[in-house]
Amino acid sequence: EIAMVSIRLFFGVLVVSTIVYISLSLYSRTRRREKLEKHWRADLRVGDREVWMREELEKYDQSLRRRLILLVYVIPFLFVGIMVYIQNFA
């Protein structure tokens, strides 16, 4: 019974974390795209804007900020895991 409750809790956290991750990821990428468009206009760049934008967004995908969004998964699971451990074994 305790195992089933824990599994359901972890599943619920996974679903909520996934929704939050997708939302944050889309929001962050949209904000980055807006900033890149402002930089393009401010710097009076020449050339293919879409190619430049794609290259800059690929750099962003490898950035630390993008990877930190994954903490949306790590922190809740650590918290739930600690709470389950304390409730059952402490």
Side-chain angles (χ1 to χ4, degrees):
E1 182 178 321
I2 293 173
M4 283 304 292
V5 171
S6 298
I7 291 171
R8 286 194 340 221
L9 181 61
F10 276 109
F11 182 72
V13 169
L14 177 66
V15 169
V16 172
S17 294
T18 300
I19 291 168
V20 171
Y21 173 78
I22 291 170
S23 299
L24 276 174
S25 183
L26 291 174
Y27 174 76
S28 180
R29 190 169 178 88
T30 301
R31 293 286 305 216
R32 183 64 183 158
R33 180 177 274 283
E34 289 171 1
K35 286 182 181 181
L36 288 172
E37 288 174 0
K38 286 180 184 177
H39 283 281
W40 178 267
R41 283 187 239 114
D43 294 345
L44 301 173
R45 294 181 180 266
V46 293
D48 191 355
R49 188 181 81 131
E50 291 304 316
V51 171
W52 179 79
M53 189 79 70
R54 192 176 327 114
E55 290 171 356
E56 293 298 315
L57 286 173
E58 286 173 6
K59 289 179 191 175
Y60 171 72
D61 287 340
Q62 303 302 318
S63 70
L64 179 62
R65 172 175 278 177
R66 180 82 170 165
R67 291 181 183 158
L68 284 176
I69 296 175
L70 288 172
L71 289 176
V72 166
Y73 283 108
V74 175
I75 293 172
F77 276 105
L78 282 176
F79 180 74
V80 169
I82 291 169
M83 294 306 294
V84 167
Y85 177 79
I86 289 172
Q87 290 291 324
N88 292 319
F89 303 110

